């Protein structure tokens, strides 16, 4: 096997072993494809989707602005070998043979509660424009973003579910939930939460997902996700 092809196989194996339950999808121009992970920037108003590495060890990185979420830009990077150490894992990102950034993940075994690492803990991302901390939470069952907001559904060690949304047009929307609802329940294809007569439902089917809001049985909102990750307990 050629060295480049062998490295690609090793990278794919490393990524697969790091998370055996999560699935991530991105939809662009009506076409959905699987991806590696989503980085919802906490210090910067950006959302970044990193595609799965191909056999040439390349990943497509697509960036969205929370100020203009309908627009996006993409760039192909070479992905380096995983470089583990002291509970951290770094994957270098290169352009034209020069390393210009990295993907920073934590080793799930080093977390306070490794059993709640339903998604790979990608904690930061560095690109030529700078480094940003990625939103990651233990017990993530669903995370996705639409053109208006990010939505996170978490499960604690007792199985309790919490819904959080982060509206893009709200000051501090990257760090403070615009809405938080506890005490949700699992429903077919997703989760449902009730709050002051409103029912918030997050559902996924194959490579598509959306959030809906109803009151008194009347549909008030139906919002598709541009990209999302869904995961179940290990």
């Amino acid at each position: 096997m050629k060295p480049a092809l062998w490295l690609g196989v090793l990278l794919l194996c490393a990524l697969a072993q790091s998370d055996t339950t999560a699935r991530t999808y991105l939809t662009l121009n009506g076409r959905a494809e699987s991806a590696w992970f989503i980085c919802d920037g906490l210090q910067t108003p950006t959302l970044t989707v990193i595609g799965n590495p191909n056999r040439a060890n390349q990943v497509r990185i697509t960036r969205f602005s929370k100020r203009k979420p309908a627009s996006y830009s993409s760039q192909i990077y070479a992905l380096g070998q995983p470089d583990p150490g002291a509970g951290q894992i770094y994957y270098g990102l290169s352009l034209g043979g020069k390393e210009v950034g990295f993907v920073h993940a934590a080793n799930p075994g080093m977390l306070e509660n490794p059993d709640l690492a339903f998604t790979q803990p990608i904690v930061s991302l560095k690109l030529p424009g700078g480094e940003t901390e990625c939103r990651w939470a233990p017990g993530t069952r669903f995370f996705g973003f639409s053109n208006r907001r990010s939505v996170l559904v978490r499960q604690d060690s007792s199985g309790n579910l919490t819904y959080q949304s982060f509206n893009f047009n709200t000051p501090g929307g990257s760090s403070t939930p615009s809405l938080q609802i506890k005490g949700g329940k699992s429903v077919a294809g997703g989760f449902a939460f009730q709050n002051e007569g409103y029912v918030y439902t997050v559902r996924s089917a194959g490579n598509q997902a959306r959030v809906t809001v109803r009151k008194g049985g009347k549909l008030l909102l139906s919002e598709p996700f541009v990209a999302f990750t869904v995961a179940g307990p290990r």
Side-chain angles (χ1 to χ4, degrees):
M1 184 178 290
K2 295 181 179 180
L5 181 57
W6 176 242
L7 176 57
V9 172
L10 287 177
L11 283 169
L12 289 169
C13 290
L15 300 185
Q17 290 172 358
S18 64
D19 175 22
T20 59
T21 65
R23 305 185 309 279
T24 299
Y25 297 98
L26 168 66
T27 298
L28 289 178
N29 301 319
R31 179 182 176 183
E33 60 184 44
S34 63
W36 180 10
F37 71 92
I38 304 167
C39 176
D40 184 0
L42 296 182
Q43 295 93 2
T44 56
T46 58
L47 294 139
T48 308
V49 181
I50 288 73
N52 289 322
N54 61 22
R55 291 186 176 274
N57 315 319
Q58 297 173 326
V59 292
R60 186 181 70 182
I61 296 182
T62 306
R63 306 188 75 185
F64 301 81
S65 168
K66 294 179 184 179
R67 298 189 180 101
K68 296 181 179 180
S71 62
Y72 64 89
S73 61
S74 295
Q75 176 68 56
I76 302 296
Y77 291 83
L79 182 68
Q81 299 183 55
D83 182 16
Q88 311 297 313
I89 305 171
Y90 286 86
Y91 302 82
L93 294 171
S94 301
L95 282 174
K98 179 181 178 181
E99 187 165 313
V100 294
F102 56 74
V103 174
H104 174 201
N107 186 329
M110 301 298 292
L111 300 176
E112 182 177 351
N113 192 340
D115 291 338
L116 289 178
F118 303 153
T119 59
Q120 186 181 10
I122 304 291
V123 295
S124 69
L125 174 67
K126 183 179 180 183
L127 294 174
E131 183 177 0
T132 183
E133 183 180 353
C134 301
R135 187 187 312 283
W136 184 86
T140 294
R141 296 295 306 276
F142 180 94
F143 176 78
F145 70 89
S146 68
N147 286 332
R148 296 183 178 180
R149 74 198 89 241
S150 299
V151 171
L152 172 66
V153 176
R154 298 176 59 183
Q155 175 182 312
D156 65 19
S157 57
S158 298
N160 301 310
L161 296 169
T162 298
Y163 171 100
Q164 293 179 322
S165 63
F166 303 84
N167 293 348
F168 298 156
N169 62 355
T170 302
S174 290
S175 57
T176 304
S178 309
L179 176 65
Q180 178 169 289
I181 311 171
K182 296 184 178 181
K185 63 179 181 179
S186 296
V187 296
F191 312 93
F193 301 81
Q194 295 190 37
N195 181 57
E196 299 181 352
Y198 294 87
V199 179
Y200 296 75
T201 305
V202 176
R203 280 194 172 97
S204 63
N207 55 22
Q208 301 293 321
R210 68 176 53 241
V211 57
T212 60
V213 181
R214 288 180 168 85
K215 186 174 185 180
K218 182 180 180 180
L219 181 64
L220 304 178
L221 174 74
S222 180
E223 205 166 273
F225 289 102
V226 176
F228 71 94
T229 296
V230 61
R234 293 179 180 273

